[in-house]
């Protein structure tokens, strides 16, 4: 479950299509002016380090996860750009969009950790969210236009009696303002243009849904744990309709994404402070990183010898032989001397490498390998 970056709406695990567009500018160096005569190239390395009287910061290999406790008001794309700058990392990406409206866990993969993003996105998500009763909005959250109102307010008993209907595998109609494609166009783009968007219901799984607080008659606070593709906005909308009132999301915080919980989150100000201390030699950025394999908690680990590791690193399969050969099949992550080597498939008596990791560069500190 994510939030739609275009409209500030909570949605399914659809990558933010603006990520590539917004991050590409950071990859371009030098001044480009059209219709100019070719300029003489200055091969003096000192000159290449100057741009606007500022030293050029070279990108470096950084590998691991940072679970940002994203503040309200920041987009996921902006968060990735900030971390990429702080770590001077060559590659970065997030595992599930979290909209500016929401706070909480935004796992950001750096370097080789980007190869493990799908494993995080496929994991469970946990949210704490507040529903404001009495109004339905076109985006199903606080940023939308009011489309219906009601003076009725649900009682605690009515809310709690309703929750079992929204637990388990249910059919859910995604919000009109979502990143789902309709005939090649994003639903939120069509809705913004005033077109009527009819989205078909689809099955989603809600593992747990509970009412945790009711501060007043206008608001109710819930906690939900759900699978990929669930829209919390649609959940608030549908509960409001069945209860005889209307509802929309007015606050949301993500507390779990796959293997990453609140204990793993780092507020942005603390992360910036750590980066500044590291720049002055008073600390290490490695202290902010979780190991790449943290994303693979639900996958069996398989240790191999250095000789077998060399074959796997070259992309070659390794035969499982001898009485000590592991009795397993399916996806595993392979280690050698305690270090992550590859993602592989085990079957028919052999290990077949699928993704090989090259962890040369900055990685998580030893202390962060032992998580709370």
């Amino acid at each position: 479950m994510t939030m739609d970056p275009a409209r500030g709406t909570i949605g399914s695990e659809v990558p933010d299509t603006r990520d590539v567009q917004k991050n590409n500018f950071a990859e371009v160096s030098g001044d480009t002016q059209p219709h100019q005569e070719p300029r003489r190239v200055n091969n003096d390395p000192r000159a290449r380090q100057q741009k606007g009287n500022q030293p050029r910061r070279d990108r470096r290999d950084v590998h691991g996860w940072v679970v940002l406790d994203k503040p309200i008001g920041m987009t996921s794309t902006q968060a990735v750009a900030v971390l990429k700058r702080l770590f001077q990392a060559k590659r970065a990406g997030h595992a599930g969009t979290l909209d500016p409206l929401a706070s909480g866990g935004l796992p950001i993969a750096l370097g080789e950790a980007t190869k493990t993003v799908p494993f995080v996105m496929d994991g469970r998500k946990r949210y704490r969210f507040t529903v404001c009763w009495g109004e339905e909005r076109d985006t199903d959250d606080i940023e939308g236009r009011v489309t219906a109102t009601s003076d009725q307010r649900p009682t605690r008993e009515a809310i709690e009696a309703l929750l079992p209907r929204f637990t388990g595998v249910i059919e859910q109609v995604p919000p009109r303002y979502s990143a789902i494609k309709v005939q090649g166009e994003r639903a939120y783009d069509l809705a913004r243009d005033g077109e009527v968007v009819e989205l078909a219901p689809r099955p989603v799984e809600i593992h747990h849904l509970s009412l945790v607080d009711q501060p007043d008659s206008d608001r109710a606070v819930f906690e939900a744990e759900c699978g990929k593709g669930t829209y919390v906005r649609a959940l608030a909308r549908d509960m409001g309709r069945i209860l005889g009132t209307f509802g929309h999301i007015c606050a949301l915080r993500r507390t779990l994404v796959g293997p990453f919980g609140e204990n793993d989150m780092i507020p942005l100000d603390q992360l910036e402070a750590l980066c500044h201390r590291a720049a002055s030699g008073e600390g290490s950025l490695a202290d902010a990183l979780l190991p790449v394999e943290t994303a693979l908690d639900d996958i069996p680990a398989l240790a191999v010898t250095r000789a077998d590791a060399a074959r796997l690193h070259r992309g070659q399969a390794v035969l499982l032989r001898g009485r000590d050969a592991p009795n397993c099949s399916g996806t595993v992550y392979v280690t050698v001397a305690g270090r992550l080597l590859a993602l592989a498939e085990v079957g028919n008596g052999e290990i077949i490498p699928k993704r090989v990791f090259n962890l040369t560069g900055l990685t998580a500190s030893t202390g962060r390998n032992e998580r709370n």
Side-chain angles (χ1 to χ4, degrees), residues 219-276:
R219 295 175 298 158
V221 182
F222 298 87
E223 187 171 272
E225 187 169 316
C226 48
K228 182 178 179 180
T230 304
Y231 285 84
V232 175
R233 286 182 290 132
L235 190 60
R237 175 200 66 203
D238 294 342
M239 286 194 297
R241 290 176 179 178
I242 294 175
L243 287 167
T245 183
F246 296 105
H248 63 275
I249 295 289
C250 53
L252 179 136
R253 178 172 176 79
R254 187 157 66 186
T255 59
L256 177 75
V257 187
F260 301 117
E262 290 194 282
N263 288 339
D264 299 311
M265 298 180 194
I266 302 178
L268 182 59
D269 56 351
Q270 291 185 20
L271 187 60
E272 290 176 330
L274 174 62
C275 291
H276 293 322

Side-chain angles (χ1 to χ4, degrees), residues 280-318:
S280 61
E282 298 178 1
S284 173
L285 286 176
D287 294 336
L289 292 171
L290 286 169
V292 173
E293 59 266 32
T294 310
L296 308 175
D297 275 1
D298 293 334
I299 300 173
L302 178 61
V304 299
T305 65
R306 293 187 183 277
D308 286 342
R311 289 184 58 86
L312 292 170
H313 194 265
R314 293 192 297 267
Q316 299 172 333
V318 169

Side-chain angles (χ1 to χ4, degrees), residues 17 34 39 91 102 108 118 121 132 160 171 193 197 209 217 228 265 276 322 328 346:
T17 56
R39 295 179 297 175
R91 290 183 294 155
I108 297 177
M121 293 185 68
C132 289
E160 291 179 337
E171 290 287 317
D193 292 339
V197 180
L209 176 63
S217 61
K228 182 178 179 180
M265 298 180 194
H276 293 322
C328 62
V346 175

Side-chain angles (χ1 to χ4, degrees), residues 204-225:
V204 297
E205 186 170 9
I206 300 175
H207 305 281
H208 172 77
L209 176 63
S210 61
L211 175 65
V212 297
D213 192 18
Q214 195 173 15
D216 51 51
S217 61
D218 291 327
R219 295 175 298 158
V221 182
F222 298 87
E223 187 171 272
E225 187 169 316

Side-chain angles (χ1 to χ4, degrees), residues 76-345:
S76 298
T77 300
Q78 290 170 340
V80 171
V82 168
L83 262 70
K84 195 173 183 181
R85 172 179 57 80
L86 289 174
F87 282 84
Q88 302 174 45
K90 292 180 179 179
R91 290 183 294 155
H94 62 73
T97 304
L98 193 59
D99 188 79
L101 173 69
S103 66
L106 180 65
I108 297 177
L110 300 174
E112 294 289 87
T114 57
K115 296 177 180 178
T116 66
V117 164
F119 295 94
V120 177
M121 293 185 68
D122 288 342
R124 292 189 182 190
K125 318 296 186 299
R126 186 183 302 133
Y127 291 84
R128 179 177 288 250
F129 60 98
T130 301
V131 177
C132 289
W133 306 117
E135 289 182 348
E136 186 168 303
R137 303 196 176 199
D138 57 0
T139 60
D140 299 320
D141 66 19
I142 198 171
E143 296 185 340
R145 177 178 58 87
V146 176
T147 57
T149 61
S150 172
D151 294 330
Q152 296 188 49
R153 297 294 182 268
T155 65
R156 173 179 286 272
E157 293 73 21
I159 295 172
E160 291 179 337
L162 178 65
L163 298 183
R165 294 181 58 177
F166 290 93
T167 305
V169 178
I170 66 171
E171 290 287 317
Q172 185 180 78
V173 177
R176 288 183 296 163
Y177 283 86
S178 66
I180 293 175
K181 284 192 174 182
V182 180
Q183 296 181 346
E185 299 288 338
R186 298 290 183 186
Y188 55 68
D189 286 331
L190 298 174
R192 267 203 310 250
D193 292 339
E195 296 188 33
V196 177
V197 180
E198 297 292 343
L199 298 175
R202 58 182 185 173
V204 297
E205 186 170 9
I206 300 175
H207 305 281
H208 172 77
L209 176 63
S210 61
L211 175 65
V212 297
D213 192 18
Q214 195 173 15
D216 51 51
S217 61
D218 291 327
R219 295 175 298 158
V221 182
F222 298 87
E223 187 171 272
E225 187 169 316
C226 48
K228 182 178 179 180
T230 304
Y231 285 84
V232 175
R233 286 182 290 132
L235 190 60
R237 175 200 66 203
D238 294 342
M239 286 194 297
R241 290 176 179 178
I242 294 175
L243 287 167
T245 183
F246 296 105
H248 63 275
I249 295 289
C250 53
L252 179 136
R253 178 172 176 79
R254 187 157 66 186
T255 59
L256 177 75
V257 187
F260 301 117
E262 290 194 282
N263 288 339
D264 299 311
M265 298 180 194
I266 302 178
L268 182 59
D269 56 351
Q270 291 185 20
L271 187 60
E272 290 176 330
L274 174 62
C275 291
H276 293 322
R277 291 196 301 271
S280 61
E282 298 178 1
S284 173
L285 286 176
D287 294 336
L289 292 171
L290 286 169
V292 173
E293 59 266 32
T294 310
L296 308 175
D297 275 1
D298 293 334
I299 300 173
L302 178 61
V304 299
T305 65
R306 293 187 183 277
D308 286 342
R311 289 184 58 86
L312 292 170
H313 194 265
R314 293 192 297 267
Q316 299 172 333
V318 169
L319 292 176
L320 294 171
R321 53 190 178 273
R323 63 181 181 180
D324 295 329
N327 183 20
C328 62
S329 61
T331 302
V332 299
Y333 73 88
V334 181
T335 65
V336 54
R339 189 174 177 84
L340 178 64
L341 173 68
L343 281 166
E345 292 291 324

